[in-house]
Amino acid sequence: MDVSILVGGQAGDGIKQAGVIIAKIFNEIGYHVFIYDDYQSLVKGGHNFSIVRVSDEKVHSHNDHVDLLVAFNQDTIEKHKWRTKETIYDSDKVKTDGTGIPAQSWAKGKGSALLRNSIFIGAICKYTGVDLKIAESIIKNSFHKLLDENMEALKFGYDSVEKKHDFKKIGEPREVMTGNEAISLGAAAAGMKLYIAYPMTPASSILHYLAKYGEKLGVVTVQEENEIAVANMAVGSCFAGVRTMVGTSGGGFALMTETVSLCAQSETPVLFVVSQRAGPSTGVPTYTMQADLKFVLNAGHGDVTRVVIAPGDAEESYLLTGKTMNLAWKYQIPGFVLVDKHISESTFSAELGEVKPEEPKLWDGKGEYGRYKLTEDGISPMAFPGDVYTCKGSSYEHDEKGLTVEEETDMINKMQEKRLRKMEVLREELKGEETVKVYGNPDSKVTLLTWGSTKGACIEAAKELGLKVVQLLYLEPMPMWELEKHLKGRVIAVEVNATGQLADILGIKEKILKYDGRPFTPEELKKKLEEIL
Amino acid sequence: MDVSILVGGQAGDGIKQAGVIIAKIFNEIGYHVFIYDDYQSLVKGGHNFSIVRVSDEKVHSHNDHVDLLVAFNQDTIEKHKWRTKETIYDSDKVKTDGTGIPAQSWAKGKGSALLRNSIFIGAICKYTGVDLKIAESIIKNSFHKLLDENMEALKFGYDSVEKKHDFKKIGEPREVMTGNEAISLGAAAAGMKLYIAYPMTPASSILHYLAKYGEKLGVVTVQEENEIAVANMAVGSCFAGVRTMVGTSGGGFALMTETVSLCAQSETPVLFVVSQRAGPSTGVPTYTMQADLKFVLNAGHGDVTRVVIAPGDAEESYLLTGKTMNLAWKYQIPGFVLVDKHISESTFSAELGEVKPEEPKLWDGKGEYGRYKLTEDGISPMAFPGDVYTCKGSSYEHDEKGLTVEEETDMINKMQEKRLRKMEVLREELKGEETVKVYGNPDSKVTLLTWGSTKGACIEAAKELGLKVVQLLYLEPMPMWELEKHLKGRVIAVEVNATGQLADILGIKEKILKYDGRPFTPEELKKKLEEIL
Amino acid sequence: MNLETGVKNTWCPRCGHFSILAAAKAVIQELIEKGERPEDFAIASGIGCHAKIVDYINVNSFYSIHGRVPPTISGMKIANPDLTVIGFAGDGDGYGEGVAHIVFAAKRNIDITMIIHNNRIYGLTTGQFSPTTPQGQKTKSTPYGNPEYQLNPIKLMLGSGATFVARTSSFDLNHMKEMIRQGIAHKGFAVIDVVEPCISFFNATDYIRKNAYVMENHDSSDINKAWERAGEWNYTLEGKIPIGIFYKEDKPTFDELLLKGKNLRKS
Amino acid sequence: MNLETGVKNTWCPRCGHFSILAAAKAVIQELIEKGERPEDFAIASGIGCHAKIVDYINVNSFYSIHGRVPPTISGMKIANPDLTVIGFAGDGDGYGEGVAHIVFAAKRNIDITMIIHNNRIYGLTTGQFSPTTPQGQKTKSTPYGNPEYQLNPIKLMLGSGATFVARTSSFDLNHMKEMIRQGIAHKGFAVIDVVEPCISFFNATDYIRKNAYVMENHDSSDINKAWERAGEWNYTLEGKIPIGIFYKEDKPTFDELLLKGKNLRKS
Ligand SMILES: Cc1ncc(C[n+]2csc(CCOP(=O)(O)OP(=O)(O)O)c2C)c(N)n1
Ligand SMILES: Cc1ncc(C[n+]2csc(CCOP(=O)(O)OP(=O)(O)O)c2C)c(N)n1
Ligand code: SF4
Ligand code: SF4
Ligand SMILES: [Mg+2]
Ligand SMILES: [Mg+2]
């Protein structure tokens, strides 16, 4: 069972919310869901749509073809008619075939055009054969205004269409969340107490989510005057012993790069979330791209140590954000969660794994405390202001106490080597971890290499074509030990950028790229693969 | 003939200037010169020294051993006695063997301790057998205060020592300049009219030089409130049609990276000079390193187009800065001159090549002007405010007129491809240019790979050991077509950073690194090579 | 002279930015009719809803990045002082991300005009608090109330040494036009703070409409009086909003002092 | 309590930074003697000659990057409000590169103390003009005279909403100590502008020595009077330099409003 429903209208129609409620309805009866949201850089008008995919198997992507189109306006028909077999539409505003409902006039009569959402949701319930009670209880938990009217609207919609399918409960509900929500929860589970940001699509919803639910999660949020302040405030709070995450997109991240280098030198474990969007520069700001990879891997002047991971769905976002937080603190290096709009703002079914804060190496209280003690593994025991009074962090090259060194070349060498030594130890640790995942046909002569948001499309296209898929989870340290094992035969890199950045780093010649801001669908990728296989 | 003189004292003693005058004296009689300056992040006190190397052959580096030590204080003896055979020192302040001159007491008697400089310069003239008149005329051109006293001091110094060598005039003088001066002159020759900066060692002296001599060169200088303002002001002035350069070091450059991406998207040819110093972060700020390579090559979010060159001495700094300016404007991409402290602040003999401004593709005045016309080579004809009124630049993805595009995926693709197409054309053009240089024994089985400031040490060490040297001038586009020709057999990358950044990019396994902030000397490099060869 | 670009306007209905667009276009049109060359206009914007304005006026323009309008147009002015450069910024853009630049443009007295679309919210990013959002206000990033005190940009600009500081309201088209006209005419740095509503995320329409009033008998040459008047309204949702020129002073501009008569573009 | 680190001081003889170091150390010592835990001090500096001060005081410290002291110490304060955080910045560092942050720290009224070593020049980078270098001054980057008007940081800080704004002189140790003492005691954002000479690149020793005088009969609770007094001296090399507290106001701090009694470090 695999059904897709597209809801389309204008910005301001509440399309996104409608999509989420539809997904939650099917989640309630045990289905896996995925939502792709498409919108532009405007607040009212334009054209927004959400594609809700419902399946009895795991899904992490949407398809080009949809089974049902729900049209709030004529534009939706013009743009999406080709995708669909069946249509439900607002007959007050749209001319087309299918099932029309006079939604606008009914909703206006009840006082708010936004009631159209509930009408269409009711209609979808009937159409798919889902019990209306499920929609009612979800809407009660989501809307706080015009509750009675919304209930009436559901009913009106329900009664306006014919039943076509018969979706039955097949299991228990899972969590339904966006990538950004999963990142927020994963960080909180790993001990984050402070989230600092300056708003920037597609990272903003982390700020919104944590501002709203922070109290419950034990997380305080601060919005700063700009991204430079964000990163440096995080340095201050980490230095004072509080796990801190910051979030932004490429342009904002650019402003943090001086501080990335500071984190490396001062050994301050700030956790950076970089959610990519279509660039360069402002580019196509509400659409997706994976073109900040090289920038993030190489950001900061000097030989910068870092850990960078790239989750490919909500479950990985949760687990790996937690992991990165713990690694950043253990190794006292900046950590990076590299995602893109297609993960941050897409909605997934998720069963969350276990994440908890792991204690870093702490000072034993003996002797005088020095922040940068030279140790075998390069990791100096931590202590914080409030506990000691000789904790001295520094952006300068320094001695074990954190005091400036300029002439002593010997100490300069030792500190450079100490920082690199930590990375060696980290690399060894990761050899025991899952740093890549392998899917599909293990005997295939062709391997698709994916990272981040292309995961869903790759797995599905590979399944249909009988190929193998290798997903890279860690980007720094680059798990060459695993890649060498799995990247054999013909390797095709699949990336959503114009130059094939990962392929370039790994020296992979064959690649399938997309750079119009839209993610791959499995169908599209399959077609492109068929052309070259 | 190859002689090295080390002058050492405190910050504030005028050591650096003394070094320059000594170099100019030998330049006057036809010798090649090179000066290495060593100082810390302080203004008075500490320990400064300059090593002036004088040779009848081209030199781009200093050696560990010096022939003559000139000690302004005891510290200089303690730190450098090991390097030298002979010493001239201030007997009022220093206890050692060699030739003492009561410089401090004499100078104070004449009213300024700074006169010690002229005393020692006079002494060096006698010692090396150079006519004192040469020193006199150089000092007259350099000092504007206490001229008579300086002349007396020269004489006093001259009379205080014995003649040991007999340097004769062997040719005509050349230019003597630092890398930063060469960059300044090269940019001006290529049409730069505006230089914008925020002070940062080791780039600051470009600002000082152009502020002082800008009037003559037709260049205006502006110091902005921070590096972000610098980069964006340059975007504004380039957009208005004025060739503009900016200069900074790694930490300041980090703040410009958002604007690098803007330059790529808006096709604005800002020329960036990045002069590296020892990092990460503040690091060892007055010392050298080549660890911003990967950062500069990958700076900016999105698929950024750029041209990056790395000169290895003053002559190359002049020529290649001019070249980069012209290429940046021709291809409407950001240009980068990547140097480090060891080039920026070292002094070289130079015979400057020819640089002149090359006209980019200009609009023919026909039809309505659109800033981003789609053309075969990806290059859109330029026009500027003042000439037209429909010149619209943009950070957003845009159509041919520069108006925002979000929904038209076709235009998004076309513009991404147009920008990449320019790089293809540039790559083709560079195939006809000198993008790498080869020195030494062409038949050697061992090749040293150098870029930037390791050039001098590599060439000399290779000469002694009979090796081949390949110097990479262009880093983006990376001239693989040349490297594939020349990097055969055993290749050893020589870099002044902790991770071997170029080696890593090119997949070269063998490398000799140094990361204490000090440059390689030929002797040191030779020793390291001997250990592994 | 046709200043239309034909681009579809995507602001929300009744957004304050419409009036600013109308006023700016009218003044540019006026100046062109009086003989200024259309080629000599160059405008720029940052990023935000306001910033789309450059797509809606058919003169030379640069759609810059968030917060960077002042250095961008300063660069244009230094390159070619014959240009009339006008910058459009949002309250987030101009007083938040880019506040350093507006402080320094004011300090230097460079001959540019900055028009700030001050709807006191981040519009384009869907409603987080901005530097001028009143304390206590519930926004997307402060659902339980903004913990920050709001900035009074008139005071900030006076404190930065600006030589032309004005406030106007998006509901008073004629006053807006007059302020823009005078701001452009002012030789030196001019900042015009336009108080306006964001319909979708901070709709202070009624409050602004009701409370904006034109200052009378104000001596705009007196910096101390300017400061006192600036204290009359503190960017809350209470009290009257004086509009007009708070302060104006004539002194040599940065571009004059720097360029001493040169035009780099034409040299 | 020994506040010495044993690090060799590398400032030029008679640099104003020495006196600031002496004053700051004395006040910290005093507070520790009065019972504050030494562990609860956390200081930070940016980059510049001034910034070396963290190497010379043996308490918890962070030697940050150029211009970023306010967010760094704000982060410390938010992480652990039991800390007494003090930031040291230069005029270039605090009013130039990092001006956005000091404006916002003032606006928010976060409980931190900023001590600005205002020698009106970039010392460490060997003498370029800074935001407070008087117009016309010859510097390394303006050998023919600075074309920019100098900033009056007292006015800028008042315009930003700071609740404690003071000026002192590096030649008046007792006054400096008193200002630092009061600045630290002030609950909220405190900025202390210390006027001092850079011996090597802008030696205004005689001028400052001769002209600094302690304000009397000044009502520091009146924001308008504060502004007027701030206008008395405009950071030139002429006229008397009033020192003392220009303005002081008590209102809830950002950290209080944000944290509502929580301590993240201890939670
Ligand atoms: C460096 C950077 N940070 C963040 C953003 C995201 N961003 C775009 S517009 C905006 C705020 C817009 O608010 P304002 O300037 O007040 O304009 P308005 O939309 O209200 O007109 C932000 C934070 C960005 N584009 N660039
Ligand atoms: C991002 C960045 N830009 C530039 C510099 C170079 N820099 C170091 S200190 C300094 C100015 C110092 O002046 P100030 O803050 O007044 O301190 P002072 O030396 O006068 O005490 C500059 C520009 C830097 N370290 N980082
Ligand atoms: S969101 Fe606000 S600022 Fe943006 S267009 Fe709508 S009303 Fe205007
Ligand atoms: S250069 Fe100036 S600020 Fe720096 S130590 Fe010397 S006197 Fe002090
Ligand atoms: Mg706004
Ligand atoms: Mg200073």
Side-chain angles (χ1 to χ4, degrees), chain B residues 15-256:
Chain B
I15 296 300
K16 186 170 173 164
Q17 204 177 16
V20 172
I21 290 171
I22 297 164
K24 284 190 175 166
I25 290 169
F26 288 96
N27 175 65
E28 203 54 39
I29 57 173
Y31 283 86
H32 292 269
V33 295
F34 175 84
I35 313 177
Y36 167 68
D37 281 311
D38 190 301
Y39 64 98
Q40 300 90 49
S41 209
L42 50 80
V43 172
K44 295 265 161 67
H47 176 64
N48 286 15
F49 67 94
S50 287
I51 297 178
V52 186
R53 186 160 168 210
V54 177
S55 171
D56 48 15
E57 287 179 48
K58 266 199 176 186
V59 276
H60 299 124
S61 64
H62 60 290
N63 261 321
D64 291 332
H65 279 86
V66 300
D67 299 282
L68 174 64
L69 182 67
V70 179
F72 280 54
N73 62 4
Q74 190 67 34
D75 218 20
T76 304
I77 298 295
E78 313 308 341
K79 294 204 155 89
H80 302 289
K81 191 74 193 166
W82 64 272
R83 295 182 185 264
T84 191
K85 291 180 290 228
E86 298 175 20
T87 305
I88 296 179
Y89 60 94
D90 185 339
S91 58
D92 293 332
K93 307 192 85 187
V94 178
K95 277 206 162 48
T96 188
D97 318 322
T99 311
I101 308 176
Q104 176 81 358
S105 50
W106 190 95
K108 280 232 163 144
K110 296 286 171 179
S112 166
L114 282 173
L115 291 169
R116 289 203 293 165
N117 268 307
S118 291
I119 296 174
F120 286 116
I121 290 165
I124 292 167
C125 283
K126 175 73 153 297
Y127 189 88
T128 54
V130 175
D131 190 346
L132 193 61
K133 291 224 183 64
I134 294 172
E136 280 172 4
S137 87
I138 287 168
I139 286 197
K140 272 184 198 145
N141 286 328
S142 311
F143 292 168
H144 302 288
K145 281 185 206 152
L146 297 176
L147 206 56
D148 292 343
E149 289 80 353
N150 271 299
M151 292 301 122
E152 275 183 67
L154 275 178
K155 190 84 181 53
F156 173 67
Y158 194 85
D159 294 342
S160 302
V161 303
E162 302 293 309
K163 179 167 165 175
K164 288 256 171 133
H165 299 276
D166 200 7
F167 276 72
K168 291 267 168 301
K169 186 163 171 109
I170 59 164
E172 290 311 306
R174 297 174 186 80
E175 306 271 353
V176 173
M177 62 178 67
T178 63
N180 276 353
E181 287 166 5
I183 289 170
S184 305
L185 293 170
M192 168 178 65
K193 296 262 175 288
L194 184 60
Y195 180 72
I196 314 175
Y198 185 82
M200 189 161 194
T201 308
S204 304
S205 54
I206 301 176
L207 177 61
H208 304 162
Y209 183 80
L210 289 171
K212 195 154 173 196
Y213 301 108
E215 188 76 46
K216 218 176 63 189
L217 295 166
V219 177
V220 164
T221 56
V222 177
Q223 177 182 314
E224 279 272 87
E225 62 271 19
N226 59 35
E227 289 85 353
I228 302 176
V230 167
N232 286 289
M233 181 178 268
V235 167
S237 58
C238 285
F239 176 71
V242 164
R243 295 196 173 198
T244 307
M245 183 166 85
V246 304
T248 185
S249 188
F253 176 65
L255 297 168
M256 298 182 174

Side-chain angles (χ1 to χ4, degrees), chain D residues 190-252:
Chain D
V191 58
I192 300 156
D193 184 66
V194 190
V195 178
E196 50 148 16
C198 166
I199 300 303
S200 294
F201 301 110
F202 189 32
N203 193 349
T205 297
D206 290 346
Y207 169 69
I208 301 168
R209 231 191 239 289
K210 209 175 299 164
N211 290 290
Y213 78 99
V214 179
M215 286 188 278
E216 271 164 36
N217 302 324
H218 168 59
D219 178 0
S220 65
S221 72
D222 183 330
I223 186 81
N224 293 334
K225 295 241 171 69
W227 174 265
E228 280 180 39
R229 293 254 22 185
E232 223 178 83
W233 182 57
N234 212 14
Y235 289 77
T236 57
L237 287 170
E238 267 163 40
K240 291 276 169 201
I241 310 172
I243 62 175
I245 300 173
F246 285 85
Y247 185 65
K248 177 165 163 51
E249 176 193 354
D250 286 309
K251 61 179 186 183

Side-chain angles (χ1 to χ4, degrees), chain B residues 42-44, chain D residues 10-18 48-50 52 119 121-124 126-127 196-202:
Chain B
L42 50 80
V43 172
K44 295 265 161 67
Chain D
T10 57
W11 287 326
C12 310
R14 296 184 313 286
C15 171
H17 299 340
F18 281 109
C49 290
H50 67 274
K52 299 181 179 181
N119 55 14
I121 199 81
Y122 288 178
L124 191 66
T126 72
E196 50 148 16
C198 166
I199 300 303
S200 294
F201 301 110
F202 189 32

Side-chain angles (χ1 to χ4, degrees), chain A residues 10 13 72-74 90-95 104 116:
Chain A
Q10 289 197 335
D13 281 345
F72 281 54
N73 61 3
Q74 190 66 35
D90 185 337
S91 58
D92 292 332
K93 306 191 86 185
V94 178
K95 276 206 165 44
Q104 176 82 357
R116 288 203 294 165

Side-chain angles (χ1 to χ4, degrees), chain A residues 460-479:
Chain A
E460 285 192 48
K463 195 171 169 188
E464 303 228 352
L465 299 170
L467 310 179
K468 188 172 89 174
V469 176
V470 171
Q471 179 197 5
L472 193 52
L473 299 175
Y474 282 74
L475 297 162
E476 172 71 25
M478 184 66 79

Side-chain angles (χ1 to χ4, degrees), chain C residues 90-92 117 119-123:
Chain C
D91 46 326
H117 301 223
N119 53 14
R120 301 198 271 156
I121 199 82
Y122 288 179

Side-chain angles (χ1 to χ4, degrees), chain A residues 179-180 183 195 200-206 246-253 272-278 285 287-290 292 296 337-345, chain B residues 301:
Chain A
N180 277 353
I183 289 169
Y195 180 72
M200 189 162 196
T201 309
S204 304
S205 54
I206 302 177
V246 304
T248 184
S249 188
F253 176 66
F272 298 83
V273 178
V274 183
S275 182
Q276 303 161 95
R277 60 193 214 186
Y287 287 90
T288 206
M289 207 164 275
Q290 300 181 297
D292 303 350
V296 167
V337 176
L338 182 61
V339 287
D340 63 19
K341 186 259 170 190
H342 195 49
I343 289 178
S344 281
E345 298 193 343
Chain B
H301 52 296

